[in-house]
Amino acid sequence: DTAVSQTPKYLVTQMGNDKSIKCEQNLGHDTMYWYKQDSKKFLKIMFSYNNKELIINETVPNRFSPKSPDKAHLNLHINSLELGDSAVYFCASSQPSGGQETQYFGPGTRLLVL
Amino acid sequence: DAKTTQPPSMDCAEGRAANLPCNHSTISGNEYVYWYRQIHSQGPQYIIHGLKNNETNEMASLIITEDRKSSTLILPHATLRDTAVYYCIALSSNQFYFGTGTSLTVIP
């Protein structure tokens, strides 16, 4: 069973379009994240949700809007896609406990904006 | 936030132990040290973590110095499949800050 899954795996789209990436975890974790890995391979956190509530919102354009319908899902909606949004997006989940927080990552969604 | 520094790249002969160092001189007393790896562009994979004591699991061992300013990840018998980028991370304010990591190449 896949612990953290993302769909789609690949996404190719035109500038200006709106797209969504979905993430689901079956680990029973309370916390979920979105990370962005750019072409230089830097992996940077974008958002964190705990029990459907936004906890962390790093400096990300407001064209990016996370939505958590329940604690097992965290979707990422991107409006008006730009060339610079091309990257690999990773979803992760964790169950924080006593200062420890092992995060489990999904396989990634490779977004290419043309 | 604690910052970690790692060498950009290392080579290791297949079958030998791979020792990956990490400096985290600004880490605070309650910040855990985590190690992840990323093979090609797959999702980062959890390896091991620790606070003060040395830790060992089925994948690796983690040696943390007594002053907690540095640590070493040990892969006891490196295989070709261990070729990856290895990230040392100090968990701070419930956030992982990934640095540039160490690109480990296991050589046949």
Side-chain angles (χ1 to χ4, degrees):
Chain A
D1 288 344
T2 303
V4 182
S5 59
Q6 298 179 226
T7 54
K9 188 173 182 180
Y10 298 96
L11 186 53
V12 181
T13 188
Q14 300 287 330
M15 269 175 39
N17 285 349
D18 302 339
K19 291 292 179 184
S20 292
I21 306 172
K22 295 185 177 181
C23 177
E24 177 181 3
Q25 55 97 1
N26 62 8
L27 298 168
H29 290 166
D30 287 338
T31 305
M32 295 185 72
Y33 310 82
W34 277 108
Y35 286 83
K36 178 182 179 181
Q37 188 167 40
D38 60 21
S39 57
K40 295 183 179 179
K41 303 297 184 183
F42 289 117
L43 192 61
K44 189 171 180 182
I45 190 167
M46 300 173 69
F47 301 103
S48 166
Y49 267 73
N50 183 273
N51 270 320
K52 304 195 307 176
E53 290 190 16
L54 181 65
I55 302 299
I56 295 170
N57 183 355
E58 291 293 311
T59 306
V60 175
N62 57 15
R63 298 181 294 104
F64 291 78
S65 54
K67 285 185 172 51
S68 181
D70 55 62
K71 75 173 194 177
H73 296 84
L74 181 62
N75 305 323
L76 184 65
H77 187 76
I78 315 171
N79 290 327
S80 303
L81 278 155
E82 300 178 356
L83 295 177
D85 298 332
S86 296
V88 183
Y89 293 84
F90 291 101
C91 176
S93 75
S94 72
Q95 186 61 41
S97 173
Q100 304 181 61
E101 187 173 334
T102 302
Q103 295 185 17
Y104 296 91
F105 286 78
T109 295
R110 286 138 189 86
L111 172 65
L112 177 60
V113 182
L114 302 174
Chain B
D1 298 330
K3 182 177 177 180
T4 61
T5 55
Q6 302 174 250
S9 64
M10 292 181 62
D11 292 339
C12 177
E14 187 179 16
R16 295 292 185 101
N19 296 286
L20 292 88
C22 178
N23 287 322
H24 32 78
S25 57
T26 60
I27 196 171
S28 66
N30 61 350
E31 291 177 342
Y32 280 80
V33 177
Y34 278 78
W35 283 83
Y36 279 75
R37 72 180 182 184
Q38 189 173 25
I39 299 172
H40 289 298
S41 290
Q42 297 177 21
Q45 178 189 23
Y46 166 75
I47 301 173
I48 199 167
H49 74 284
L51 184 62
K52 297 178 183 177
N53 300 323
N54 298 337
E55 302 289 343
T56 295
N57 63 19
E58 64 278 5
M59 290 184 69
S61 295
L62 174 61
I63 309 298
I64 302 174
T65 58
E66 194 169 339
D67 62 8
R68 299 204 342 114
K69 293 184 185 302
S70 66
S71 60
T72 301
L73 178 74
I74 301 173
L75 307 178
H77 306 286
T79 70
L80 299 179
R81 287 178 294 181
D82 292 323
T83 292
V85 177
Y86 287 77
Y87 296 98
C88 169
I89 305 157
L91 178 60
S92 175
S93 302
N94 297 323
Q95 288 193 58
F96 280 172
Y97 291 94
F98 283 82
T100 52
T102 295
S103 178
L104 174 69
T105 301
V106 180
I107 302 169

Short mmCIF file of all heavy atoms in Angstrom, two decimals, chain B residues 7-56:
data_model
loop_
_atom_site.label_atom_id
_atom_site.label_comp_id
_atom_site.label_asym_id
_atom_site.label_seq_id
_atom_site.Cartn_x
_atom_site.Cartn_y
_atom_site.Cartn_z
N PRO B 7 29.43 18.23 2.97
CA PRO B 7 30.25 18.29 1.74
C PRO B 7 29.35 18.06 0.54
O PRO B 7 28.40 17.28 0.61
CB PRO B 7 31.25 17.15 1.93
CG PRO B 7 30.62 16.23 2.94
CD PRO B 7 29.78 17.10 3.83
N PRO B 8 29.63 18.72 -0.57
CA PRO B 8 28.74 18.60 -1.72
C PRO B 8 28.73 17.21 -2.36
O PRO B 8 27.71 16.79 -2.90
CB PRO B 8 29.26 19.65 -2.71
CG PRO B 8 30.63 19.96 -2.26
CD PRO B 8 30.68 19.72 -0.79
N SER B 9 29.85 16.51 -2.29
CA SER B 9 29.87 15.20 -2.94
C SER B 9 30.89 14.28 -2.27
O SER B 9 31.85 14.74 -1.63
CB SER B 9 30.20 15.34 -4.43
OG SER B 9 31.50 15.87 -4.60
N MET B 10 30.64 12.98 -2.41
CA MET B 10 31.55 11.96 -1.88
C MET B 10 31.43 10.73 -2.76
O MET B 10 30.37 10.48 -3.36
CB MET B 10 31.17 11.56 -0.45
CG MET B 10 31.37 12.59 0.60
SD MET B 10 30.90 11.95 2.23
CE MET B 10 32.04 10.62 2.43
N ASP B 11 32.52 9.97 -2.81
CA ASP B 11 32.51 8.66 -3.47
C ASP B 11 32.75 7.59 -2.41
O ASP B 11 33.41 7.83 -1.40
CB ASP B 11 33.61 8.57 -4.53
CG ASP B 11 33.35 9.49 -5.71
OD1 ASP B 11 32.18 9.87 -5.92
OD2 ASP B 11 34.31 9.81 -6.42
N CYS B 12 32.25 6.41 -2.70
CA CYS B 12 32.47 5.28 -1.81
C CYS B 12 32.52 4.01 -2.64
O CYS B 12 31.72 3.85 -3.58
CB CYS B 12 31.34 5.19 -0.78
SG CYS B 12 31.47 3.78 0.33
N ALA B 13 33.45 3.13 -2.33
CA ALA B 13 33.54 1.86 -3.04
C ALA B 13 32.43 0.93 -2.59
O ALA B 13 32.09 0.87 -1.39
CB ALA B 13 34.90 1.22 -2.80
N GLU B 14 31.88 0.21 -3.52
CA GLU B 14 30.82 -0.75 -3.21
C GLU B 14 31.30 -1.75 -2.17
O GLU B 14 32.42 -2.27 -2.25
CB GLU B 14 30.40 -1.48 -4.49
CG GLU B 14 29.19 -2.37 -4.35
CD GLU B 14 28.81 -3.04 -5.66
OE1 GLU B 14 29.64 -3.06 -6.59
OE2 GLU B 14 27.68 -3.54 -5.75
N GLY B 15 30.45 -1.99 -1.17
CA GLY B 15 30.80 -2.93 -0.12
C GLY B 15 31.50 -2.30 1.07
O GLY B 15 31.58 -2.91 2.14
N ARG B 16 32.00 -1.08 0.87
CA ARG B 16 32.66 -0.40 1.98
C ARG B 16 31.65 0.44 2.75
O ARG B 16 30.54 0.69 2.29
CB ARG B 16 33.76 0.52 1.43
CG ARG B 16 34.91 -0.21 0.74
CD ARG B 16 35.71 -1.00 1.74
NE ARG B 16 36.89 -1.62 1.15
CZ ARG B 16 38.12 -1.14 1.28
NH1 ARG B 16 38.33 -0.03 1.96
NH2 ARG B 16 39.15 -1.76 0.73
N ALA B 17 32.08 0.89 3.92
CA ALA B 17 31.22 1.77 4.71
C ALA B 17 31.29 3.18 4.14
O ALA B 17 32.36 3.67 3.80
CB ALA B 17 31.65 1.77 6.17
N ALA B 18 30.13 3.81 4.04
CA ALA B 18 30.06 5.22 3.63
C ALA B 18 29.81 6.05 4.88
O ALA B 18 28.85 5.79 5.61
CB ALA B 18 28.95 5.43 2.62
N ASN B 19 30.70 7.02 5.11
CA ASN B 19 30.57 7.88 6.28
C ASN B 19 30.29 9.30 5.80
O ASN B 19 31.15 9.94 5.21
CB ASN B 19 31.86 7.87 7.10
CG ASN B 19 32.16 6.50 7.68
OD1 ASN B 19 31.51 6.06 8.63
ND2 ASN B 19 33.11 5.81 7.10
N LEU B 20 29.08 9.78 6.05
CA LEU B 20 28.68 11.10 5.58
C LEU B 20 28.62 12.07 6.76
O LEU B 20 27.81 11.90 7.66
CB LEU B 20 27.32 11.03 4.88
CG LEU B 20 27.29 10.27 3.55
CD1 LEU B 20 27.03 8.79 3.76
CD2 LEU B 20 26.26 10.86 2.63
N PRO B 21 29.48 13.11 6.73
CA PRO B 21 29.51 14.05 7.86
C PRO B 21 28.52 15.19 7.69
O PRO B 21 28.09 15.52 6.58
CB PRO B 21 30.94 14.58 7.79
CG PRO B 21 31.26 14.55 6.33
CD PRO B 21 30.51 13.39 5.74
N CYS B 22 28.16 15.77 8.84
CA CYS B 22 27.26 16.92 8.84
C CYS B 22 27.62 17.81 10.03
O CYS B 22 27.78 17.31 11.15
CB CYS B 22 25.82 16.46 8.94
SG CYS B 22 24.61 17.81 9.02
N ASN B 23 27.76 19.09 9.78
CA ASN B 23 27.98 20.05 10.86
C ASN B 23 26.69 20.79 11.16
O ASN B 23 26.01 21.25 10.23
CB ASN B 23 29.07 21.05 10.48
CG ASN B 23 30.43 20.41 10.52
OD1 ASN B 23 30.72 19.59 11.38
ND2 ASN B 23 31.28 20.75 9.57
N HIS B 24 26.35 20.88 12.42
CA HIS B 24 25.16 21.63 12.85
C HIS B 24 25.50 22.34 14.14
O HIS B 24 24.91 22.06 15.19
CB HIS B 24 23.92 20.73 12.99
CG HIS B 24 24.21 19.32 13.41
ND1 HIS B 24 24.48 18.97 14.71
CD2 HIS B 24 24.26 18.18 12.69
CE1 HIS B 24 24.66 17.67 14.78
NE2 HIS B 24 24.55 17.15 13.58
N SER B 25 26.47 23.27 14.06
CA SER B 25 27.04 23.90 15.26
C SER B 25 26.04 24.79 15.98
O SER B 25 26.24 25.11 17.15
CB SER B 25 28.29 24.68 14.89
OG SER B 25 28.00 25.64 13.91
N THR B 26 24.97 25.23 15.30
CA THR B 26 24.01 26.13 15.95
C THR B 26 22.76 25.41 16.44
O THR B 26 21.79 26.06 16.83
CB THR B 26 23.60 27.26 14.99
OG1 THR B 26 22.99 26.68 13.83
CG2 THR B 26 24.80 28.09 14.57
N ILE B 27 22.79 24.11 16.42
CA ILE B 27 21.61 23.34 16.82
C ILE B 27 21.31 23.59 18.29
O ILE B 27 22.22 23.74 19.11
CB ILE B 27 21.82 21.84 16.53
CG1 ILE B 27 20.49 21.09 16.54
CG2 ILE B 27 22.81 21.23 17.50
CD1 ILE B 27 20.62 19.67 16.04
N SER B 28 20.04 23.67 18.63
CA SER B 28 19.68 23.86 20.03
C SER B 28 19.40 22.50 20.68
O SER B 28 19.29 21.49 20.00
CB SER B 28 18.44 24.76 20.14
OG SER B 28 17.32 24.13 19.58
N GLY B 29 19.29 22.54 22.01
CA GLY B 29 19.26 21.29 22.76
C GLY B 29 18.10 20.37 22.47
O GLY B 29 18.20 19.16 22.69
N ASN B 30 17.01 20.89 21.96
CA ASN B 30 15.84 20.04 21.74
C ASN B 30 15.56 19.78 20.25
O ASN B 30 14.49 19.31 19.90
CB ASN B 30 14.61 20.66 22.40
CG ASN B 30 14.30 22.03 21.81
OD1 ASN B 30 15.10 22.58 21.05
ND2 ASN B 30 13.15 22.59 22.16
N GLU B 31 16.51 20.13 19.40
CA GLU B 31 16.31 19.92 17.96
C GLU B 31 16.90 18.59 17.53
O GLU B 31 18.09 18.33 17.72
CB GLU B 31 16.94 21.06 17.17
CG GLU B 31 16.20 22.38 17.34
CD GLU B 31 16.87 23.53 16.61
OE1 GLU B 31 18.06 23.41 16.27
OE2 GLU B 31 16.20 24.55 16.39
N TYR B 32 16.06 17.76 16.95
CA TYR B 32 16.48 16.47 16.45
C TYR B 32 17.25 16.64 15.14
O TYR B 32 16.98 17.54 14.34
CB TYR B 32 15.28 15.56 16.21
CG TYR B 32 14.76 14.92 17.47
CD1 TYR B 32 13.93 15.62 18.33
CD2 TYR B 32 15.07 13.61 17.78
CE1 TYR B 32 13.43 15.04 19.49
CE2 TYR B 32 14.58 13.00 18.93
CZ TYR B 32 13.77 13.72 19.78
OH TYR B 32 13.28 13.14 20.92
N VAL B 33 18.18 15.72 14.91
CA VAL B 33 18.89 15.64 13.64
C VAL B 33 18.28 14.52 12.82
O VAL B 33 18.17 13.38 13.30
CB VAL B 33 20.40 15.38 13.86
CG1 VAL B 33 21.09 15.23 12.51
CG2 VAL B 33 21.02 16.50 14.67
N TYR B 34 17.86 14.83 11.62
CA TYR B 34 17.25 13.86 10.72
C TYR B 34 18.14 13.68 9.48
O TYR B 34 18.79 14.61 9.03
CB TYR B 34 15.89 14.35 10.24
CG TYR B 34 14.76 14.09 11.20
CD1 TYR B 34 14.57 14.89 12.32
CD2 TYR B 34 13.88 13.04 10.99
CE1 TYR B 34 13.53 14.65 13.21
CE2 TYR B 34 12.84 12.79 11.87
CZ TYR B 34 12.68 13.60 12.96
OH TYR B 34 11.64 13.35 13.84
N TRP B 35 18.11 12.47 8.95
CA TRP B 35 18.77 12.19 7.69
C TRP B 35 17.75 11.61 6.72
O TRP B 35 16.99 10.69 7.07
CB TRP B 35 19.93 11.20 7.87
CG TRP B 35 21.15 11.82 8.45
CD1 TRP B 35 21.43 12.06 9.76
CD2 TRP B 35 22.29 12.29 7.72
NE1 TRP B 35 22.66 12.63 9.89
CE2 TRP B 35 23.22 12.79 8.67
CE3 TRP B 35 22.63 12.33 6.36
CZ2 TRP B 35 24.45 13.33 8.30
CZ3 TRP B 35 23.86 12.86 6.00
CH2 TRP B 35 24.76 13.36 6.97
N TYR B 36 17.76 12.17 5.53
CA TYR B 36 16.93 11.69 4.43
C TYR B 36 17.84 11.49 3.22
O TYR B 36 18.94 12.04 3.15
CB TYR B 36 15.86 12.72 4.05
CG TYR B 36 14.64 12.70 4.94
CD1 TYR B 36 14.69 13.24 6.22
CD2 TYR B 36 13.44 12.15 4.50
CE1 TYR B 36 13.57 13.22 7.04
CE2 TYR B 36 12.32 12.13 5.30
CZ TYR B 36 12.39 12.67 6.56
OH TYR B 36 11.27 12.65 7.37
N ARG B 37 17.36 10.73 2.25
CA ARG B 37 18.07 10.65 0.99
C ARG B 37 17.06 10.75 -0.15
O ARG B 37 15.89 10.42 0.01
CB ARG B 37 18.89 9.37 0.89
CG ARG B 37 18.09 8.09 0.70
CD ARG B 37 19.03 6.91 0.62
NE ARG B 37 18.33 5.65 0.39
CZ ARG B 37 18.93 4.47 0.36
NH1 ARG B 37 20.26 4.38 0.56
NH2 ARG B 37 18.23 3.38 0.15
N GLN B 38 17.57 11.18 -1.30
CA GLN B 38 16.74 11.32 -2.48
C GLN B 38 17.47 10.66 -3.65
O GLN B 38 18.58 11.07 -4.01
CB GLN B 38 16.44 12.79 -2.78
CG GLN B 38 15.39 12.97 -3.86
CD GLN B 38 14.97 14.41 -4.04
OE1 GLN B 38 15.71 15.33 -3.73
NE2 GLN B 38 13.77 14.61 -4.53
N ILE B 39 16.85 9.64 -4.17
CA ILE B 39 17.41 8.91 -5.31
C ILE B 39 16.80 9.45 -6.58
O ILE B 39 15.57 9.45 -6.72
CB ILE B 39 17.13 7.39 -5.17
CG1 ILE B 39 17.79 6.87 -3.89
CG2 ILE B 39 17.63 6.63 -6.38
CD1 ILE B 39 17.42 5.45 -3.53
N HIS B 40 17.64 9.92 -7.49
CA HIS B 40 17.19 10.62 -8.70
C HIS B 40 16.21 11.70 -8.27
O HIS B 40 16.55 12.53 -7.45
CB HIS B 40 16.55 9.66 -9.70
CG HIS B 40 17.53 8.74 -10.35
ND1 HIS B 40 18.57 9.19 -11.13
CD2 HIS B 40 17.66 7.40 -10.30
CE1 HIS B 40 19.30 8.15 -11.54
NE2 HIS B 40 18.77 7.05 -11.06
N SER B 41 15.04 11.75 -8.80
CA SER B 41 14.06 12.76 -8.43
C SER B 41 12.87 12.12 -7.72
O SER B 41 11.77 12.66 -7.74
CB SER B 41 13.59 13.52 -9.66
OG SER B 41 14.61 14.34 -10.14
N GLN B 42 13.13 10.99 -7.04
CA GLN B 42 12.08 10.37 -6.25
C GLN B 42 11.82 11.21 -5.00
O GLN B 42 12.59 12.13 -4.69
CB GLN B 42 12.49 8.96 -5.85
CG GLN B 42 12.68 8.01 -7.01
CD GLN B 42 13.15 6.64 -6.55
OE1 GLN B 42 12.98 6.27 -5.39
NE2 GLN B 42 13.76 5.89 -7.44
N GLY B 43 10.79 10.90 -4.28
CA GLY B 43 10.52 11.58 -3.04
C GLY B 43 11.60 11.29 -2.01
O GLY B 43 12.14 10.19 -1.97
N PRO B 44 11.94 12.27 -1.18
CA PRO B 44 12.93 12.02 -0.12
C PRO B 44 12.50 10.84 0.75
O PRO B 44 11.33 10.70 1.09
CB PRO B 44 12.94 13.33 0.66
CG PRO B 44 12.52 14.36 -0.33
CD PRO B 44 11.52 13.67 -1.20
N GLN B 45 13.49 10.03 1.10
CA GLN B 45 13.24 8.82 1.89
C GLN B 45 13.87 8.97 3.26
O GLN B 45 15.06 9.31 3.38
CB GLN B 45 13.85 7.62 1.16
CG GLN B 45 13.72 6.30 1.91
CD GLN B 45 14.53 5.19 1.25
OE1 GLN B 45 15.49 5.44 0.52
NE2 GLN B 45 14.15 3.95 1.53
N TYR B 46 13.10 8.74 4.29
CA TYR B 46 13.60 8.82 5.66
C TYR B 46 14.63 7.73 5.91
O TYR B 46 14.46 6.58 5.49
CB TYR B 46 12.45 8.66 6.65
CG TYR B 46 12.86 8.40 8.07
CD1 TYR B 46 13.38 9.44 8.86
CD2 TYR B 46 12.77 7.13 8.63
CE1 TYR B 46 13.77 9.19 10.17
CE2 TYR B 46 13.16 6.89 9.93
CZ TYR B 46 13.65 7.92 10.70
OH TYR B 46 14.05 7.69 11.99
N ILE B 47 15.73 8.10 6.59
CA ILE B 47 16.75 7.12 6.94
C ILE B 47 16.78 6.89 8.44
O ILE B 47 16.57 5.78 8.92
CB ILE B 47 18.15 7.56 6.46
CG1 ILE B 47 18.17 7.77 4.95
CG2 ILE B 47 19.19 6.51 6.85
CD1 ILE B 47 19.47 8.38 4.43
N ILE B 48 17.05 7.95 9.19
CA ILE B 48 17.26 7.80 10.62
C ILE B 48 17.21 9.17 11.28
O ILE B 48 17.35 10.18 10.59
CB ILE B 48 18.62 7.10 10.88
CG1 ILE B 48 18.71 6.50 12.28
CG2 ILE B 48 19.78 8.06 10.62
CD1 ILE B 48 19.90 5.54 12.45
N HIS B 49 16.98 9.21 12.57
CA HIS B 49 17.09 10.48 13.28
C HIS B 49 17.54 10.23 14.71
O HIS B 49 17.45 9.10 15.21
CB HIS B 49 15.77 11.26 13.25
CG HIS B 49 14.68 10.71 14.14
ND1 HIS B 49 13.96 9.58 13.81
CD2 HIS B 49 14.20 11.14 15.32
CE1 HIS B 49 13.06 9.35 14.75
NE2 HIS B 49 13.18 10.28 15.69
N GLY B 50 18.00 11.31 15.36
CA GLY B 50 18.47 11.18 16.73
C GLY B 50 18.55 12.52 17.41
O GLY B 50 18.52 13.57 16.76
N LEU B 51 18.67 12.49 18.73
CA LEU B 51 18.78 13.72 19.51
C LEU B 51 20.16 13.83 20.15
O LEU B 51 20.89 14.78 19.90
CB LEU B 51 17.70 13.76 20.58
CG LEU B 51 17.62 15.02 21.43
CD1 LEU B 51 17.30 16.24 20.57
CD2 LEU B 51 16.58 14.86 22.54
N LYS B 52 20.50 12.87 21.00
CA LYS B 52 21.79 12.91 21.69
C LYS B 52 22.54 11.59 21.53
O LYS B 52 23.75 11.58 21.34
CB LYS B 52 21.58 13.17 23.19
CG LYS B 52 20.97 14.50 23.51
CD LYS B 52 20.77 14.64 25.01
CE LYS B 52 20.09 15.95 25.34
NZ LYS B 52 19.83 16.08 26.80
N ASN B 53 21.81 10.51 21.63
CA ASN B 53 22.45 9.20 21.59
C ASN B 53 22.65 8.73 20.17
O ASN B 53 21.97 9.15 19.25
CB ASN B 53 21.58 8.17 22.33
CG ASN B 53 21.39 8.55 23.78
OD1 ASN B 53 22.29 9.06 24.42
ND2 ASN B 53 20.19 8.30 24.28
N ASN B 54 23.62 7.85 20.01
CA ASN B 54 23.81 7.22 18.71
C ASN B 54 22.62 6.30 18.43
O ASN B 54 22.03 5.72 19.35
CB ASN B 54 25.11 6.42 18.71
CG ASN B 54 26.32 7.31 18.93
OD1 ASN B 54 26.27 8.52 18.67
ND2 ASN B 54 27.40 6.73 19.43
N GLU B 55 22.26 6.21 17.17
CA GLU B 55 21.11 5.40 16.78
C GLU B 55 21.51 4.46 15.65
O GLU B 55 22.39 4.77 14.84
CB GLU B 55 19.96 6.30 16.30
CG GLU B 55 19.46 7.33 17.30
CD GLU B 55 18.70 6.72 18.45
OE1 GLU B 55 18.26 5.57 18.33
OE2 GLU B 55 18.51 7.42 19.48
N THR B 56 20.82 3.32 15.60
CA THR B 56 21.05 2.37 14.52
C THR B 56 19.72 1.76 14.12
O THR B 56 18.88 1.47 14.98
CB THR B 56 22.01 1.25 14.98
OG1 THR B 56 23.29 1.81 15.25
CG2 THR B 56 22.18 0.19 13.88
#
